[in-house]
Amino acid sequence: MIMDEIKTLKKELGNKVVIPVHHYQAKEIVDVADFVGDSYMLAVDCSKTNAQFIVFCGVLFMAQCADILGSSEQKVVIPVPTADCPMANMANLATVEKVFSSLPNNENIAPIVYMNSYADLKSFCGKHGGSVCTSSNAEKIMKYYLDQGKQVLFFPDRNLGINTAMKLGLSEKDTINSKNIAAYNNERVILWDGFCPIHLNFTVSDVTEMRKKYPEAKVIVHPESTKEVVDNADDSGSTEYILKKIEASPDGSSWIVGTESTFVKRLAVQFPAKNIYMLKDSVCANMAKTTPELLHKTLLNVKQHIENGTPLENIVTVENEYKEFAAQSLKKMIEIVSK
Ligand code: SF4
């Protein structure tokens, strides 16, 4: 019933509204999406839309990106303003500025901020010649700066940082955790100490147990998992990479997937001819906050706003002081990836 009402509202609103939906959202929300993707795909898609209202189904930092990349006429709203990301809260501007300014020769250090961060940190990166990255392009972005002989300050996710550095052929000795910054000795990659609690849930013994249960299956994990879990898996990559890899695999193939469970369950429905198992049940509670009821309420509010001037609720706006440089660091990412 509620789904029918959402579809009717969507039809009535036509091209005035787009609904970008992250892969970790519930199936019902995905079913009414205009585009579905990981945070990189959604940022690119949002930068191209002309819709007047962007109803973003994901978490807050993603909706902020839509506002940063959108035009001044567009409005971004989010069905659940409390859909936060614990990892994004693990780095704040004051602490990042403190660490960065304490580093010698910091003009040679490129700050790279994971998409999972707030606009002030993206702005910091833009100001200091750095870039945003996502899990689908972290390798390309880090390589871009390392190839220029720069060092990298990578935040907030230490796991994505170290897993990316390893993929680029660096060793753990080339990295230092920002908690030990007093011992800094020109390591090539300085890693912030943040993490995603959902991906940190996966352990090497989970991999071992699941391999015993399904010996024919390949293990594929997200690089927000620890280095040990990634080392013990057969493959690792972003949500989009995992999706493409499973999609391209032959029918009858078996996969143990280490990423957010809502997404893994959806993969199992989407590819019934393949055997898809969760490495472990690990749900992002913040992504799960968006329900059909709340999406319906948001669309209704947008409709009433257009028709009667009802105040628009749950608007996501990035402060002007951060917008310009945050846009610069997002555009830098898009530019490096498109090279
Ligand atoms: S899955 Fe992890 S990184 Fe993604 S929104 Fe949830 S807590 Fe944040």
Side-chain angles (χ1 to χ4, degrees):
M1 180 76 170
I2 191 93
M3 293 313 296
D4 291 336
E5 285 179 30
I6 290 175
K7 283 174 196 157
T8 308
L9 271 172
K10 242 195 110 184
K11 222 174 181 177
E12 287 168 4
L13 288 161
N15 58 12
K16 288 195 179 79
V17 166
V18 282
I19 307 180
V21 174
H22 188 268
H23 279 310
Y24 295 171
Q25 294 281 299
K27 187 182 174 302
E28 297 89 328
I29 308 293
V30 169
D31 287 346
V32 291
D34 286 298
F35 29 88
V36 184
D38 62 6
S39 51
Y40 176 71
M41 302 287 294
L42 294 178
V44 173
D45 286 339
C46 284
S47 73
K48 291 179 184 160
T49 181
N50 292 320
Q52 203 184 337
F53 299 91
I54 300 175
V55 177
F56 205 104
C57 296
V59 290
L60 200 53
F61 70 80
M62 298 174 181
Q64 277 193 341
C65 291
D67 182 55
I68 294 165
L69 294 170
S71 73
S72 52
E73 288 80 44
Q74 287 174 314
K75 293 266 178 282
V76 180
V77 291
I78 188 163
V80 194
T82 59
D84 211 345
C85 166
M87 183 206 281
N89 288 315
M90 290 179 191
N92 65 60
L93 184 58
T95 324
V96 169
E97 271 174 342
K98 195 170 159 203
V99 168
F100 188 72
S101 58
S102 74
L103 295 167
N105 302 321
N106 63 12
E107 64 285 349
N108 200 44
I109 299 175
I112 300 179
V113 66
Y114 192 21
M115 183 70 104
N116 305 26
S117 59
Y118 291 107
D120 52 353
L121 290 180
K122 292 184 175 82
S123 167
F124 172 88
C125 282
K127 264 188 198 155
H128 293 278
S131 170
V132 175
C133 78
T134 68
S135 49
S136 62
N137 59 37
E139 230 175 297
K140 231 175 169 176
I141 307 286
M142 195 185 279
K143 185 174 184 311
Y144 172 84
Y145 289 107
L146 293 177
D147 283 354
Q148 292 173 25
K150 295 203 174 216
Q151 285 139 303
V152 158
L153 170 62
F154 192 96
F155 53 97
D157 186 14
R158 64 171 184 242
N159 292 319
L160 179 63
I162 193 146
N163 288 323
T164 305
M166 297 299 116
K167 277 199 175 169
L168 291 173
L170 301 186
S171 77
E172 282 184 78
K173 281 190 186 150
D174 297 311
T175 70
I176 185 167
N177 190 298
S178 66
K179 277 200 306 197
N180 308 323
I181 210 66
Y184 175 63
N185 189 23
N186 290 317
E187 283 82 3
R188 300 198 70 194
V189 180
I190 304 148
L191 299 166
W192 205 256
D193 201 37
F195 56 88
C196 163
I198 313 311
H199 290 89
L200 201 73
N201 254 336
F202 305 128
T203 63
V204 174
S205 47
D206 294 331
V207 176
T208 313
E209 285 309 306
M210 287 299 280
R211 279 199 197 278
K212 266 192 219 150
K213 219 167 158 190
Y214 304 106
E216 72 291 357
K218 286 221 160 87
V219 179
I220 188 164
V221 299
H222 192 282
E224 285 172 18
S225 311
T226 64
K227 176 181 175 299
E228 293 69 32
V229 168
V230 170
D231 288 349
N232 279 276
D234 298 299
D235 201 355
S236 66
S238 67
T239 316
E240 202 67 34
Y241 177 85
I242 294 173
L243 170 70
K244 295 266 156 56
K245 194 82 191 191
I246 294 180
E247 192 172 33
S249 67
D251 285 356
S253 53
S254 303
W255 295 92
I256 296 164
V257 186
T259 190
E260 205 275 339
S261 309
T262 314
F263 173 66
V264 184
K265 284 181 194 158
R266 199 154 48 76
L267 285 177
V269 174
Q270 195 175 340
F271 304 112
K274 299 164 196 192
N275 307 306
I276 296 167
Y277 312 106
M278 285 189 282
L279 177 56
K280 185 192 256 174
D281 197 2
S282 194
V283 176
C284 177
N286 281 286
M287 287 282 184
K289 283 178 180 172
T290 313
T291 59
E293 287 72 21
L294 291 171
L295 173 58
H296 176 262
K297 192 173 169 227
T298 304
L299 290 172
L300 197 59
N301 173 243
V302 171
K303 184 171 180 267
Q304 289 167 346
H305 173 74
I306 295 169
E307 290 175 356
N308 323 317
T310 304
L312 198 58
E313 289 168 5
N314 303 339
I315 307 174
V316 177
T317 356
V318 169
E319 299 94 313
N320 281 338
E321 61 175 310
Y322 300 129
K323 232 173 181 171
E324 184 189 338
F325 284 107
Q328 205 164 301
S329 63
L330 279 162
K331 285 177 186 162
K332 185 75 191 171
M333 166 182 74
I334 296 170
E335 177 202 313
I336 298 171
V337 173
S338 324
K339 274 184 194 216

